[in-house]
Amino acid sequence: FFSRQRHHHDNGVCLKNIGDCLSFIIHYQFSLSVVILYHDRQIHHCDLETMNNLIRGFQKSRLIAHRPNTQISLNLPTRTLSTTSAPPSLQETRGPSALEKANLPLLTPGHAIGILQSHGSAANNKNLLRRSDFVALCQSSRPGKTKDAKVIATALREFKRCNNFILHEEGARAAVEGMMRSMIPNYKVVFGKLRLEGCAFVLERILERETGLYFSVGVDVVDGVLEEVKKGINELVERGVDVRVFGNGSVETGDGEEAGGKEGDEVDLSDEQQLVKKSMELAQGVTKLLIERRSLPENNMKKRARRAYKKLIQVNDGPAMSTLALASEISIMVGGPDQARENVISPFEGAWWTKKWTSGVDQAIIDAIAEAEKKQEEERVAAAAAAAEAQAAAEEEAIQDVNTDANAGETEESTDNREESSHDEPKK
């Protein structure tokens, strides 16, 4: 439990009235070592012997229960306690939710969003939506039905905009899993293009602030999507698709050079290559988004924007080393090691919190990028040597052609001279 008075205590629980205090002590049976009373903007420490007097004396106080390592059992007088049974849980006291009232025989995201929209409409005084109903909406998505994924994305946007719905971590996980399940077909064999299309759709929803996934998606969920991106690229490679598409819209030619890399040059990319390039950019964008989220951007906001941001944020974790490893592998496979170093490693190392709270990028990731750079340099040297050898062979062949033409010309000239001399002898 955490106290609302964070500038005074790191842990504890704030109780507004004396009834909540007694219910809390009865239900949780805390072993307390110190009782801190917050009254009239001052902090008062007291021992356990005077606790009963303080409870009677301050009816409008906030009692903060603090539990350090030392445990001292708390014994309250029995006359102050009306009962020893725990209070009923919230699950038992609240009524059925909107989806539970509907009791549909077949629940799909389309049916669920219609019920929740009606429940949270202005005609019903904009009733609050339960988190369990949103999770049920996401879990009802059917495999291979892209329409269900689009319904989940619509629900994310609309509930956040119209119903002040705050997406929590469990709901974000259910939403991402539901969209992935519906975007990837349920064929026996799924090719890489269809898998990458589904991953690109989900990553775009994470980057879209209107859905609220930015505020609550976990790092492990992002890693799962990046794993699917990597798997889809490998499937395209197995089918013989050239995935070496550079970040500037160029492709690698057979001699190791980049075609279309200069400004103004255009290269027609295939549909698979455009999809691979888009997936790489989205993976890099999500990694940068996690770095930005961990950098505490609310510190640079104005008061009203900071208040709204802190109300929505649920998870502020940055990218893990597994996230950096996956994003680097995808960038190396598609855009080369330069893309990985420029758009994945450099933003992470440039963040202010990496030197304070982390030990830097894992050496395995750095070694993988260095090995890819070495391999790329070897390929370029080999391609340059092959090009030079081919050019030398072409020049030698051209010289031989010139010599052959010269010899042929001399032979023809000597033949003409002989014919002229044969014609002049009879005249003499």
Side-chain angles (χ1 to χ4, degrees), residues 205-336:
R205 303 290 81 76
I206 295 176
L207 291 172
E208 186 179 350
R209 295 293 184 95
E210 287 76 10
T211 59
L213 290 173
Y214 162 83
F215 301 98
S216 54
V217 69
V219 180
D220 56 339
V221 179
V222 176
D223 289 350
V225 180
L226 295 182
E227 284 281 0
E228 292 293 328
V229 173
K230 179 183 174 183
K231 185 176 179 181
I233 294 175
N234 289 328
E235 289 173 353
L236 288 179
V237 172
E238 292 176 358
R239 295 184 62 195
V241 178
D242 184 13
V243 299
R244 293 300 300 272
V245 181
F246 289 81
N248 55 3
S250 59
V251 295
E252 187 177 10
T253 59
D255 56 356
E257 297 179 354
E258 296 181 20
K262 296 181 180 180
E263 187 176 357
D265 296 341
E266 294 183 0
V267 176
D268 295 332
L269 303 178
S270 63
D271 295 339
E272 290 83 0
Q273 289 176 338
Q274 291 179 358
L275 183 59
V276 166
K277 181 176 179 292
K278 179 181 179 181
S279 301
M280 179 193 69
E281 293 175 349
L282 289 174
Q284 295 172 355
V286 170
T287 305
K288 294 178 182 178
L289 189 74
L290 295 177
I291 296 172
E292 177 187 353
R293 187 177 71 176
R294 190 69 182 94
S295 300
L296 304 178
E298 64 270 20
N299 294 337
N300 299 326
M301 299 179 183
K302 294 185 178 180
K303 186 176 181 180
R304 183 174 297 179
R306 181 169 63 251
R307 188 185 298 116
Y309 182 88
K310 295 179 73 174
K311 181 181 178 181
L312 295 175
I313 192 70
Q314 301 292 317
V315 179
N316 63 347
D317 296 339
M321 290 301 150
S322 57
T323 312
L324 296 178
L326 289 170
S328 299
E329 291 178 8
I330 294 170
S331 301
I332 289 173
M333 287 190 296
V334 179

Side-chain angles (χ1 to χ4, degrees), residues 397-409:
E397 185 177 358
I399 293 172
Q400 290 179 357
D401 293 341
V402 171
N403 294 334
T404 303
D405 294 340
N407 293 333

Side-chain angles (χ1 to χ4, degrees), residues 30-95:
F30 255 87
S31 298
L32 305 178
S33 64
V34 65
V35 177
I36 302 173
L37 191 66
Y38 182 76
H39 181 68
D40 293 335
R41 300 181 181 272
Q42 295 181 1
I43 297 295
H44 304 278
H45 295 263
C46 64
D47 53 8
L48 300 180
E49 296 178 354
T50 58
M51 177 180 175
N52 192 22
N53 296 329
L54 291 172
I55 290 177
R56 293 171 182 161
F58 300 95
Q59 296 294 331
K60 296 183 179 180
S61 303
R62 293 181 180 179
L63 187 66
I64 303 175
H66 180 66
R67 184 183 185 183
N69 296 330
T70 306
Q71 296 184 1
I72 302 176
S73 59
L74 174 63
N75 297 320
L76 291 177
T78 57
R79 63 179 181 273
T80 61
L81 306 179
S82 59
T83 178
T84 57
S85 60
S89 62
L90 181 62
Q91 188 70 23
E92 297 175 357
T93 58
R94 68 181 186 181

Side-chain angles (χ1 to χ4, degrees), residues 416-428:
D416 294 339
N417 294 333
R418 290 175 183 176
E419 290 178 357
E420 290 178 357
S421 61
S422 62
H423 286 299
D424 292 341
E425 287 179 357
K427 292 180 182 181
K428 293 181 180 179

